[in-house]
Amino acid sequence: NLFQQNAQTSIAVKYNNMSVLENMHLAVGLSLLFGEGIQDEWDIFDGWINDDKVRVQEIMKESILKTDISHQSELLGDLELLIEQVHTVAKENNRYNAEIDEPILSILAQTFHEAKSVEGEDLTKTELEGKCNQLAGLLVGFILHGADISNPAKSGDLPIHWGSRVFDEFFEQGDKEKEMGLPISPLCDRGTVKLPESQVNFIKYVALPTYELLGSVIPRVKKEVVPNMSRTIEYWEGEKN
């Protein structure tokens, strides 16, 4: 995004220098699924009512724009707050055991199931359903964000191979920026950036907090994915010297 902004490319101007690539991806996706780019062979929303199509478009917009790494801290903070609020309201509701922290996925599943069958205007239940709806919506974007930065979470040698490849791309961008007389973007200067240190910092301060929080929602992530990141950090730490 920074390159697009500094170079004042056509898409940077088009999207007002705001989440340039994410807005471009969103526009292309919406066009292919709902607009002039749609084809019968992938029209998966054929037969859907208009209100549902509009909701899908809103989910796409909210989720894709959240993959802009500049929103990382805000996204983590919002999700942590909603998880805490859902737990708090759930414990105030007699349907849950106040002595334990009910797994968040269990709370979501039970709340949505009971919302279909429970009648009346119990304010506690209404508040819980509202918080669960907010959390479910935010989780979609958070999981997509996690997928976007998932390389360190992979198993085996994949994080090492692709971690190196992505820096090849970064350095090529830095070379191009230098050639064009533009400021060199962070992590893109091959003369100053050290790959092992950069990988360790990215994992520790960006990827790992994301997956630890996701693991608090999806237990298998904590059990099966987070340990991969620890092994990847260990590898890059060993490459520092």
Side-chain angles (χ1 to χ4, degrees):
N1 282 340
L2 194 55
F3 171 80
Q4 301 292 333
Q5 295 169 26
N6 288 333
Q8 280 296 284
T9 63
S10 59
I11 60 172
V13 174
K14 181 176 182 179
Y15 297 115
N16 303 308
N17 290 326
M18 298 176 62
S19 300
V20 177
L21 295 176
E22 291 78 16
N23 270 300
M24 184 268 289
H25 296 154
L26 173 62
V28 171
L30 290 175
S31 175
L32 289 171
L33 291 172
F34 301 101
E36 59 184 16
I38 195 170
Q39 299 288 335
D40 289 340
E41 59 188 295
W42 63 70
D43 186 8
I44 59 175
F45 299 108
D46 182 37
W48 287 41
I49 63 173
N50 189 63
D51 285 350
D52 288 343
K53 289 183 178 181
V54 170
R55 178 59 183 144
V56 168
Q57 292 171 33
E58 283 297 311
I59 292 173
M60 287 179 62
K61 180 184 73 173
E62 293 168 4
S63 300
I64 292 173
L65 293 182
K66 282 184 172 66
T67 62
D68 185 343
I69 197 68
S70 67
H71 299 315
Q72 162 90 4
S73 296
E74 177 186 357
L75 187 56
L76 263 67
D78 288 347
L79 187 60
E80 286 176 336
L81 178 61
L82 265 177
I83 290 173
E84 180 181 346
Q85 290 175 341
V86 168
H87 271 130
T88 299
V89 178
K91 286 179 179 180
E92 294 170 354
N93 188 315
N94 291 331
R95 289 177 291 173
Y96 303 106
N97 186 344
E99 299 300 321
I100 64 172
D101 279 335
E102 193 83 26
I104 201 72
L105 287 184
S106 298
I107 296 175
L108 290 175
Q110 187 172 347
T111 300
F112 292 144
H113 173 74
E114 293 187 3
K116 296 179 180 180
S117 56
V118 176
E119 297 181 356
E121 291 297 325
D122 185 309
L123 294 180
T124 304
K125 293 176 182 176
T126 300
E127 182 182 4
L128 179 59
E129 290 160 15
K131 293 296 183 184
C132 285
N133 277 317
Q134 291 179 48
L135 179 56
L138 189 59
L139 273 173
V140 175
F142 191 78
I143 290 171
L144 185 60
H145 169 62
D148 198 37
I149 59 172
S150 65
N151 182 65
K154 294 180 171 64
S155 60
D157 294 334
L158 287 173
I160 313 306
H161 173 74
W162 288 106
S164 300
R165 291 287 297 272
V166 75
F167 268 82
D168 290 340
E169 181 179 333
F170 286 172
F171 293 152
E172 288 180 8
Q173 176 180 319
D175 294 343
K176 186 67 174 178
E177 289 170 327
K178 186 181 293 186
E179 177 187 324
M180 296 174 65
L182 299 174
I184 299 179
S185 298
L187 302 179
C188 293
D189 190 338
R190 67 172 71 245
T192 61
V193 172
K194 296 180 179 180
L195 177 57
E197 285 85 347
S198 297
Q199 286 287 347
V200 168
N201 289 335
F202 173 75
I203 299 170
K204 282 186 175 180
Y205 302 115
V206 179
L208 186 58
T210 298
Y211 275 82
E212 286 177 335
L213 184 55
L214 189 58
S216 72
V217 178
I218 305 174
R220 284 189 64 183
V221 171
K222 180 179 180 179
K223 181 181 179 180
E224 301 176 19
V225 179
V226 171
N228 290 339
M229 291 192 164
S230 298
R231 287 189 287 270
T232 305
I233 291 174
E234 184 179 354
Y235 171 84
W236 287 116
E237 288 281 10
E239 292 295 302
K240 283 184 177 181
N241 299 322

